[in-house]
Amino acid sequence: MGKLLWSVAATLFVGNATAAVIEKGPQAVGSPDLITITGVIEPNDDLQFNQVAATAGQAIVVLNSEGGAVLPALEIGRAIRLKGFATAVASDTLCASACALTWLAGAPRYAGQSANIGFHASYVVKDGTPSETGVGNALIGAYLNQLGLSQDAIVFVTSAPPEGMAWLSGKQAGELGVQFATYQTQAGSPATVVTQTAPEPYDPMRVAAAFYNALSNADGTSAAALVVPEKRGIGPFNEASIHSYFGGLSSPLQLQAVSRRGADKVAVAYTYARADGSACQGKAEVQTTYQYGKTLISKIRALNGC
């Protein structure tokens, strides 16, 4: 009975663990609308954003995202620029990789004094074909050019390291011509409302289940977005490698059980069949941490070799 409950819980976690939440909140009369994008950006999130933004006049789009799929992030950014919306990242929150590309579209851009805005080499799947460079950089370069960014800024973004994260500092932004306002919290500031965003609760089981759900879909971008920024693109957390290995299985990964192990560890059990048909009955220990107001994976230890 216990194992059945674990399996049911895992299925419930998997169903909606990583989808971005896009909402428009009520504002005082005369104030700009507030649209929040929270969580991993996934395919079709641009369609959801357009639905939410359709009735907005002036708006500030508040981003609190680990990253995710690049193509919908670019489409959200184009919609933001077309509508003349501002973008903002609150203090002590994260806007990384694909999210940072969306933030660049704001007119104007805001960032809290301790906001974390980082760029990472983009892994793009277009027409079913993965690409870290070439096609991916061409698409991103064209987008940045549409935003009117300088040549130096385009080089910086498209040359981000394939592992880890290139964090954007105020000094560096000035050198690149990426203008943004570091907002204060005094009354009357157009970005004061941004400080009202609440941090996410620490939830290791949800994030571990979301990671393995991404593996089951061979979704390297969503999986890597749940990992601490400094380890993205490295070894088992490389987006292209995840897509290649788990996309080539003869039977996709199925998450069987998720259980808490102490304050910050999660035990997971899963099955899959390799490309040659051999079966894996896998178990792993997932180490999590709480950074930037988010639960992220810092380490995974396979317990039985697969």
Side-chain angles (χ1 to χ4, degrees):
M1 182 67 174
K3 184 173 181 180
L4 175 60
L5 291 175
W6 275 4
S7 298
V8 171
T11 301
L12 292 175
F13 279 128
V14 165
N16 59 359
T18 63
V21 177
I22 304 175
E23 299 175 319
K24 184 174 72 171
Q27 296 299 306
V29 176
S31 297
D33 290 318
L34 179 68
I35 300 173
T36 57
I37 301 178
T38 306
V40 178
I41 298 170
E42 294 191 333
N44 297 322
D45 278 348
D46 53 319
L47 303 180
Q48 183 187 357
F49 176 82
N50 287 334
Q51 290 177 349
V52 172
T55 59
Q58 290 184 318
I60 300 172
V61 180
V62 184
L63 296 152
N64 181 7
S65 170
E66 303 91 324
V70 171
L71 298 183
L74 298 185
E75 291 305 315
I76 292 172
R78 289 190 177 96
I80 287 171
R81 178 53 63 97
L82 181 65
K83 291 176 173 292
F85 291 168
T87 54
V89 180
S91 288
D92 302 317
T93 61
L94 178 66
C95 181
S97 193
C99 175
L101 295 173
T102 298
W103 173 79
L104 287 171
R109 309 177 191 97
Y110 295 106
Q113 292 178 329
S114 57
N116 301 278
I117 301 170
F119 296 90
H120 170 69
S122 296
Y123 162 69
V124 174
V125 176
K126 185 173 177 61
D127 298 326
T129 302
S131 174
E132 282 189 87
T133 57
V135 172
N137 279 345
L139 292 170
I140 294 168
Y143 165 80
L144 298 175
N145 187 61
Q146 290 173 345
L147 298 182
L149 267 66
S150 69
Q151 188 68 33
D152 288 343
I154 293 173
V155 170
F156 171 77
V157 173
T158 57
S159 301
E163 65 284 325
M165 196 70 63
W167 299 106
L168 184 69
S169 66
K171 179 176 182 295
Q172 190 173 44
E175 294 172 351
L176 297 172
V178 179
Q179 303 298 323
F180 69 88
T182 303
Y183 67 81
Q184 305 295 327
T185 58
Q186 71 266 22
S189 167
T192 296
V193 68
V194 175
T195 64
Q196 299 173 0
T197 56
E200 297 177 7
Y202 185 40
D203 194 347
M205 287 183 66
R206 179 187 65 83
V207 170
F211 180 85
Y212 281 89
N213 178 53
L215 298 188
S216 72
N217 294 318
D219 183 354
T221 53
S222 293
L226 299 169
V227 176
V228 290
E230 62 270 20
K231 289 190 176 181
R232 295 185 189 179
I234 301 173
F237 301 133
N238 178 274
E239 295 95 320
S241 296
I242 290 172
H243 179 83
S244 176
Y245 182 80
F246 288 95
L249 298 176
S250 60
S251 179
L253 183 144
Q254 295 291 328
L255 184 59
Q256 301 297 316
V258 182
S259 60
R260 192 76 173 262
R261 290 289 186 268
D264 54 10
K265 293 180 181 178
V266 176
V268 297
Y270 50 89
T271 62
Y272 63 79
R274 301 176 181 88
D276 63 6
S278 60
C280 166
Q281 299 285 335
K283 292 184 179 180
E285 181 181 81
V286 180
Q287 178 84 43
T288 65
T289 184
Y290 193 70
Q291 296 181 10
Y292 316 109
K294 293 186 176 293
T295 308
L296 298 170
I297 293 171
S298 59
K299 183 179 180 180
I300 296 178
R301 184 167 66 95
L303 301 179
N304 61 349
C306 71

